[in-house]
Each structure stands twice: as C-alpha cells, then as structure tokens.
Amino acid sequence: MKWKRAALSSGAALMLALGVRGMDVAAPTGSFTVRDRSFQGVRWVCADELARHLKGSVGKDSVSSYPALVVAGRRILVSTASPVVSLDGQIVKMAHVPREAEGCLWLPEEFLTGVLPKVLGGPVRILGEEIPLP
C-alpha cells in the first residue's frame, strides 16, 4: 500500500492547544498513566511517551520515511495520511488518522485498544475517566 504524506492540518494545531490530561492504561505489560489531549471527542497520546512506557522506540522508517514504532520487538509503520498502520506488514485499520505536530506523532485512543493488543499479545484497556494533570 502506498501512502501519501499529509500536511499538518489546522485541526492538529488546534488539538495541541487544548489541555493535557492523564489516561490510565492497563496492558499485559502492566498499568501506566500517559498524558493525553482531547480534540473533537477523540483522545490522543504522543507516541514518544507511549513508547517510553512500553520500553519501545519511535523513529522514521529508513525506506519510506513514515513514522515507525518498535514495541515488544514488533514494528509498527504509521500512516499520517490515512487511518491505518502496518504491523509487521499487515494492515490494521483505525477510525482516525494519526497526526504529526510539534515534534510528536499523535496517536488516537483506538491505537491503544485496537493495535497494541496485537503487539502485546493481550487486551489493552483505558481505565476510568480522564485525570487532570497539573
């Protein structure tokens, strides 16, 4: 599948201006809290922070230059032009397009609940309500 790079939308810029909150996450590797931002009813997390909690990494794919995450030894190539990721070459659909803004790859909440379970080998749940952070 060939992906086109998307320009930063005004929606992504607005998203970053909104308040930061905390999202409690329960994963097979343990529970953690990751900062999130809400935009148009969707919660977003920064891939760098998520990767730190999961002892993974974020970078650019050397061939396509698309954002790439490595978590639990699995490679996740992220499109910023369409709502899909490639997990070890298999396409996984999401409802929202990941966004790059202010040096961060912003992943929609469904990335945690729809993609990470395939990577971590078990369910990933968002716990409770949003937690305001100082």
Side-chain angles (χ1 to χ4, degrees):
M1 175 179 223
K2 192 172 187 175
W3 294 334
K4 295 180 183 177
R5 298 202 90 179
L8 175 64
S9 70
S10 61
L14 176 61
M15 175 182 70
L16 296 178
L18 299 177
V20 177
R21 299 180 183 268
M23 178 189 297
D24 285 333
V25 179
T29 55
S31 296
F32 57 90
T33 300
V34 64
R35 290 179 296 162
D36 72 300
R37 295 181 182 189
S38 293
F39 175 66
Q40 294 182 339
V42 179
R43 293 170 75 184
W44 300 80
V45 298
C46 180
D48 290 326
E49 186 173 350
L50 182 62
R52 272 194 308 275
H53 285 288
L54 297 172
K55 297 179 179 33
S57 62
V58 179
K60 293 282 185 180
D61 180 70
S62 60
V63 175
S64 69
S65 295
Y66 285 109
L69 284 82
V70 176
V71 175
R74 308 279 305 271
R75 182 177 180 74
I76 309 163
L77 191 62
V78 179
S79 171
T80 56
S82 59
V84 297
V85 299
S86 173
L87 174 59
D88 297 331
Q90 299 295 313
I91 299 300
V92 179
K93 294 181 181 181
M94 298 185 299
H96 299 89
V97 178
R99 304 166 186 264
E100 289 182 295
E102 293 187 358
C104 179
L105 172 64
W106 292 93
L107 302 169
E109 180 177 348
E110 72 259 18
F111 179 89
L112 281 73
T113 58
V115 177
L116 283 183
K118 297 172 186 339
V119 173
L120 301 175
V124 175
R125 295 185 344 260
I126 308 304
L127 305 173
E129 297 297 316
E130 295 180 14
I131 304 164
L133 294 176

